[in-house]
Amino acid sequence: VKFGDEFVDLTHLNFSVEAHAGLWSHRLPMITDELESAKMYNAGGRALLARDFSGNTVTLELEGDVWGGNRPELSLGGGVGYARKFGFVHLEAGLKYLYDKVKMQDRASHYLLPRAKVLFDLDKVSFVPYIEIRSEVKHNTLEALYEANPYIWFDSNRLAIARLSNSLDYNLSLGFNGTVFSSRLAYHVYAGASFMRDHLFWCATDPGLYSVTTGNNTRIFVGVGAEATPIAGLKLDLDFLYNFDNASAMYLLSEPNMRGNISAEYTLRKWKFYVGGELLGARSFSVIREGVLSQYDMPLAFDLGAGFSYRINRHIELYADGKNLLNSKIYDFVDYYRPGAGFMLGIKMDF
């Protein structure tokens, strides 16, 4: 539930108040003797105030959350933000304090979370450089853990999950973006570093099951993104990110060293055609089988897809999609890989 202002006209005080609650439960279907489902309930709220004072925008926020079930936790925090334009320099900055207590841990955690972004508006749409600092606490709730890896063996990891620390990331990035060629090409180039404390690491144990722990990682990254419309009806997209990781943990990092997406879409009256692909870099998983710790390597993979659609009228559209057209064996986790080449025909109806 949320009510308040839209934060569009800040010449007067804007506010918003939000409250939320939820219940989550999950049981692994392949474990017939699982003692019970993993359960979590959550309730919390957030309040935000903002006002502009002669070009100086000030924000205040308060937040609180409580989690119950198999991993009880309490989180309370607040922060202040500031934004102003100094000539061609746009500044946004803030500082947040967060108190967090996981019930099964001996001591509470206290976080100071700075953020800042400096954007240099040089009156050149083709080139806009920036520098950004971000920090974030990622709550390793049951829901977040199973979203990251749906194959965690809950009974075996019950105590470890209850004691698991939350993840803390500090990120520094710099880059530039812009539009060129009469706005037919928009691009974004960036690089930076991430300092990750209590990052999640996975290990494949029994076939189809996983355990989890935390460790530290320092990541250097470079990336590029582009969107082009060279001719009417044709849209090209590209995103690519490469990571250099230096991890320190009991298990291997098991995340791709690169990720990328490329696609082309052409619209001709009622017809639409597309082709695209997802690139996953090489990665390695820790595996424990019969008490022996080993390494499972996954090579670079590319998932190619294509399809088309035809709109009969503004309510009905026919489509055909093809996935993994190279019929590659693409693993998301050890013991779990995506289906081979497949096709789907369907109809979309909008009312």
Side-chain angles (χ1 to χ4, degrees):
V1 178
K2 181 178 179 180
F3 64 92
D5 297 307
E6 296 295 331
F7 294 87
V8 176
D9 179 12
L10 297 181
T11 56
H12 65 276
L13 182 65
N14 282 230
F15 80 97
S16 69
V17 177
E18 175 186 340
H20 56 262
L23 174 65
W24 180 92
S25 178
H26 179 71
R27 181 191 293 267
L28 285 177
M30 70 284 292
I31 306 298
T32 57
D33 59 348
E34 189 86 74
L35 294 181
E36 63 173 309
S37 301
K39 295 184 178 65
M40 181 197 81
Y41 59 83
N42 163 249
R46 181 172 181 259
L48 179 64
L49 297 173
R51 173 72 193 274
D52 182 84
F53 300 93
S54 302
N56 300 277
T57 302
V58 179
T59 59
L60 297 172
E61 66 172 316
L62 294 173
E63 65 177 53
D65 273 280
V66 59
W67 291 269
N70 297 114
R71 188 179 181 274
E73 179 182 355
L74 173 66
S75 179
L76 300 171
V80 59
Y82 175 77
R84 181 179 173 85
K85 183 177 180 180
F86 300 91
F88 64 86
V89 178
H90 292 243
L91 170 66
E92 296 179 10
L95 182 64
K96 181 179 178 180
Y97 166 76
L98 188 67
Y99 166 89
D100 188 83
K101 178 65 171 70
V102 177
K103 184 176 181 179
M104 291 296 291
Q105 292 185 349
D106 295 332
R107 293 184 296 180
S109 298
H110 303 270
Y111 301 102
L112 283 177
L113 305 173
R115 63 175 176 87
K117 184 173 184 178
V118 181
L119 186 147
F120 301 93
D121 186 359
L122 305 174
D123 290 329
K124 294 182 178 180
V125 178
S126 61
F127 182 72
V128 182
Y130 69 89
I131 302 173
E132 185 173 14
I133 298 172
R134 293 182 292 106
S135 52
E136 178 185 11
V137 172
K138 299 176 181 177
H139 295 277
N140 290 323
T141 63
L142 284 171
E143 182 180 14
L145 291 174
Y146 278 95
E147 182 178 352
N149 186 337
Y151 309 112
I152 304 170
W153 191 353
F154 178 65
D155 277 351
S156 178
N157 289 270
R158 181 188 301 266
L159 186 57
I161 290 175
R163 293 177 175 174
L164 201 66
S165 297
N166 291 318
S167 302
L168 173 63
D169 291 357
Y170 290 104
N171 304 286
L172 169 66
S173 62
L174 64 158
F176 52 91
N177 54 57
T179 58
V180 293
F181 304 123
S182 301
S183 300
R184 291 188 178 274
L185 173 64
Y187 72 92
H188 181 202
V189 180
Y190 58 96
S194 295
F195 306 94
M196 307 172 182
R197 194 179 78 188
D198 295 317
H199 190 65
L200 296 177
F201 290 78
W202 310 100
C203 180
T205 53
D206 290 57
L209 300 174
Y210 281 80
S211 61
V212 60
T213 188
T214 57
N216 297 331
N217 182 36
T218 300
R219 171 175 293 171
I220 307 297
F221 59 87
V222 292
V224 60
E227 180 179 312
T229 53
I231 60 175
L234 178 61
K235 179 181 176 183
L236 307 176
D237 281 295
L238 169 69
D239 284 295
F240 180 79
L241 176 67
Y242 194 95
N243 299 321
F244 303 88
D245 291 295
N246 181 21
S248 174
M250 182 187 307
Y251 303 144
L252 297 172
L253 183 59
S254 71
E255 296 179 14
N257 59 355
M258 68 176 80
R259 286 183 178 272
N261 287 279
I262 185 170
S263 66
E265 182 180 282
Y266 182 66
T267 303
L268 179 63
R269 296 180 181 177
K270 296 183 178 182
W271 291 91
K272 182 180 291 185
F273 305 87
Y274 81 89
V275 60
E278 177 189 8
L279 175 70
L280 288 173
R283 51 185 169 151
S284 299
F285 272 87
S286 294
V287 178
I288 298 178
R289 298 285 160 83
E290 299 180 354
V292 178
L293 178 63
S294 61
Q295 177 175 321
Y296 188 93
D297 296 322
M298 298 180 181
L300 180 144
F302 186 74
D303 189 350
L304 176 66
F308 67 90
S309 66
Y310 177 77
R311 180 164 289 279
I312 298 175
N313 53 47
R314 51 183 215 149
H315 298 296
I316 301 176
E317 183 179 13
L318 304 177
Y319 69 90
D321 289 331
K323 301 293 185 182
N324 195 7
L325 297 180
L326 300 179
N327 200 30
S328 304
K329 201 168 186 177
I330 304 173
Y331 283 89
D332 290 309
F333 296 93
V334 178
D335 301 317
Y336 298 96
Y337 54 87
R338 302 179 188 181
F343 303 88
M344 178 181 292
L345 301 175
I347 181 171
K348 296 179 182 178
M349 304 182 70
D350 299 322
F351 297 99

